Amino acid sequence: KGRFETIDVAHEASFHMEAEGSPEQDFDSRVQGKSGFVGREVSFVWSPEAKEYEAVVAGEARLGLDLERIVEETDLRSWLPAEPVDVGESWELAGERFDVLLQPGGDLGVELEGEGAAFWNTDTHARSLEGGIELTLRAIEEGAAHIVITGEVRVVTEKEGDLSRVPIVQGDATQIDTETYRLEGELLWDLAAGMPRRLVLEAATTLEAITTKDDGEPEYEHSMLFTGRTTIGMECVPER
């Protein structure tokens, strides 16, 4: 059982756009959003039929919360090896396991609003995670397993494109976003508490967004490439 106290998401970005036959454009994107789960207490009940935990929230129907998109695991226990390993040994995870860090608790239904919100709002059911993660047990010290994390994960999302800022083209379009994360970090797993003690993860990150006009003349396609670094951290304190 847990309670969502705060869920805030915000993006700020500045864009410079050049397109053949069009004047150069500069514009800013500032969006923010909250979730309907804020202030709600969620219980996860084991279902023998489904063989998984199912979420229960009081007043779900009235609030319109989508419980199928939230997940019970937030402690990274699925990142542990399926069998015992010795110091120096490695194991691999499918890229989809990275989602437990990209979306802690699952899709919490945050709807972003503001200038450029269409670029950031994404239906996570329309995306896929590819690639892989390698974990290596580096040492066992001070009651914790020190696990090194490396790998590359790609998040591919398809959504409706936006041609409103392209004066020479009209019509429907499709946008394909490919986010690539090259991972380096370490997880400290507390052996006595059976939970993470600390996670520090750095990733060289690229986002390529390609928008293509669906049909009709003139044909049109443009791409944007963003580069940067993503930092993900987690620190857990066992209840006393």
Side-chain angles (χ1 to χ4, degrees):
K1 179 182 292 187
R3 183 180 180 86
F4 293 104
E5 295 293 347
T6 59
I7 305 172
D8 295 312
V9 178
H11 293 285
E12 292 190 14
S14 296
F15 298 91
H16 176 75
M17 183 174 176
E18 297 180 21
E20 185 175 351
S22 301
E24 297 182 12
Q25 299 183 61
D26 292 288
F27 58 96
D28 297 325
S29 171
R30 293 183 176 85
V31 298
Q32 59 185 7
K34 295 184 180 294
S35 167
F37 283 98
V38 172
R40 309 303 301 179
E41 189 171 275
V42 179
S43 299
F44 290 94
V45 180
W46 179 256
S47 169
E49 294 80 12
K51 296 183 179 180
E52 63 182 16
Y53 286 98
E54 296 182 347
V56 178
V57 178
E60 174 215 344
R62 178 174 59 83
L63 292 171
L65 302 177
D66 189 348
L67 300 184
E68 293 184 359
R69 295 195 179 198
I70 64 173
V71 297
E72 175 267 339
E73 182 192 347
T74 55
D75 59 5
L76 295 180
R77 66 182 182 277
S78 68
W79 285 40
L80 299 180
E83 302 291 340
V85 297
D86 294 326
V87 172
E89 290 188 324
S90 302
W91 62 100
E92 295 185 353
L93 300 177
E96 63 187 21
R97 299 308 311 156
F98 188 51
D99 213 27
V100 72
L101 291 178
L102 290 180
Q103 292 194 123
D107 183 350
L108 300 177
V110 177
E111 288 295 330
L112 297 171
E113 298 180 347
E115 183 68 21
F119 182 86
W120 301 107
N121 276 321
T122 300
D123 181 355
T124 57
H125 283 192
R127 70 177 190 164
S128 62
L129 278 74
E130 307 167 352
I133 305 169
E134 182 175 88
L135 299 101
T136 303
L137 179 59
R138 181 178 65 81
I140 296 179
E141 300 173 346
E142 299 180 349
H146 294 242
I147 301 170
V148 175
I149 303 169
T150 59
E152 180 174 300
V153 177
R154 295 175 301 281
V155 184
V156 182
T157 306
E158 179 176 328
K159 57 187 178 182
E160 182 180 348
D162 181 11
L163 299 179
S164 62
R165 294 185 179 274
V166 187
I168 62 173
V169 179
Q170 295 182 348
D172 298 326
T174 299
Q175 179 175 317
I176 304 292
D177 294 345
T178 303
E179 301 168 79
T180 302
Y181 299 86
R182 295 178 177 85
L183 308 174
E184 292 184 357
E186 187 173 53
L187 167 66
L188 269 64
W189 184 270
D190 192 307
L191 299 175
M195 61 185 292
R197 185 181 295 177
R198 184 173 68 251
L199 169 80
V200 178
L201 193 62
E202 295 280 343
T205 308
T206 61
L207 167 59
E208 183 178 33
I210 299 177
T211 301
T212 306
K213 190 175 185 297
D214 291 341
D215 51 35
E217 296 293 338
E219 295 182 355
Y220 178 81
E221 178 179 292
H222 82 267
S223 64
M224 295 184 289
L225 180 65
F226 307 87
T227 62
R229 294 194 65 82
T230 299
T231 301
I232 299 175
M234 173 190 293
E235 190 161 350
C236 303
V237 180
E239 291 184 352
R240 303 299 183 185

